[in-house]
Amino acid sequence: MGKVYYTSFASKIGTIYVASSERGVCKIAIPGQSKKEFLQWLDEHTNGDLIVESASKNRQIIDELNRYFERRLVKFNSRIDPVGTFFQRQVWRELRRIRYGTTITYKELAKRIGSPDAYRAVGRANGANPLPILIPCHRVICSNEKIGGYTPGLKMKEFLLRLEGALPKECHP
């Protein structure tokens, strides 16, 4: 993977950690994951000898995330470089096609990738997503309109869906 550049920044939702390779953003940790966990993930999934702190190498994604939280950005333009299996990358590619402000079900996502019975595997791929928000796994909900799981926590998923105006009716107070 070559050098990996990471930094943290204060956002509307708390401290976010981001890391990028020369090819694109490879890891985002939103509140709920510690710096230690973030760096451990980088060490395990990249070449640990080449991890360098650099805010300047992550300027674009920081700007885009801040604009997203201010409701001034609905589509990310940063290049990405997610680390995962072939199946995970296939799921993540399809997740990027879910438009801002909309949701689909795990079952629909499984159909879209050509594996209609693999909705549980799709859920696991969502849980392994290294780029939450940028690869919008928060836009996938259960068939019964409940919001389902989310690795950073259900409150965060609800916040993101509410931010985008996509919170299912079942979840509105």
Side-chain angles (χ1 to χ4, degrees), residues 2 18 27 36-37 54 58 65 76-77 82-84 88 90 98 105 112 114 116 120 122-123 155 158 160-161 169:
V18 295
K27 178 69 175 160
K36 180 180 177 181
E37 292 168 320
S54 173
N58 290 290
L65 285 165
F76 290 92
N77 295 309
V83 177
Q88 289 170 333
Q90 183 181 19
I98 305 170
T105 65
R112 287 186 184 187
R120 284 190 179 91
V122 162
K155 287 189 185 298
E158 185 176 330
L160 296 171
L161 290 172
K169 292 177 184 141

Side-chain angles (χ1 to χ4, degrees), residues 37-132:
E37 292 168 320
F38 172 76
L39 291 174
Q40 182 177 348
W41 187 96
L42 290 179
D43 191 49
E44 291 172 3
H45 293 86
T46 67
N47 186 342
D49 295 335
L50 300 173
I51 299 171
V52 179
E53 191 163 3
S54 173
S56 65
K57 293 283 189 177
N58 290 290
R59 188 169 291 127
Q60 180 179 349
I61 189 59
I62 292 169
D63 177 60
E64 287 183 3
L65 285 165
N66 281 325
R67 287 188 292 135
Y68 168 82
F69 292 125
E70 294 167 357
R71 293 189 170 129
R72 295 186 304 124
L73 181 91
V74 297
K75 187 173 191 289
F76 290 92
N77 295 309
S78 291
R79 292 179 310 141
I80 65 170
D81 186 20
V83 177
T85 67
F86 175 80
F87 180 79
Q88 289 170 333
R89 290 192 317 272
Q90 183 181 19
V91 170
W92 301 336
R93 243 186 325 276
E94 193 59 42
L95 284 170
R96 294 195 77 197
R97 293 186 177 111
I98 305 170
R99 289 188 349 259
Y100 179 96
T102 64
T103 59
I104 66 169
T105 65
Y106 292 98
K107 191 171 188 171
E108 175 63 25
L109 182 57
K111 285 181 190 174
R112 287 186 184 187
I113 64 164
S115 299
D117 296 326
Y119 51 90
R120 284 190 179 91
V122 162
R124 285 190 298 277
N126 278 8
N129 176 8
L131 299 172

Side-chain angles (χ1 to χ4, degrees), residues 1-6 19-21 26 42 46 50-53:
M1 181 176 270
K3 276 191 180 178
V4 174
Y5 305 93
Y6 79 93
S20 299
S21 70
C26 61
L42 290 179
T46 67
L50 300 173
I51 299 171
V52 179
E53 191 163 3

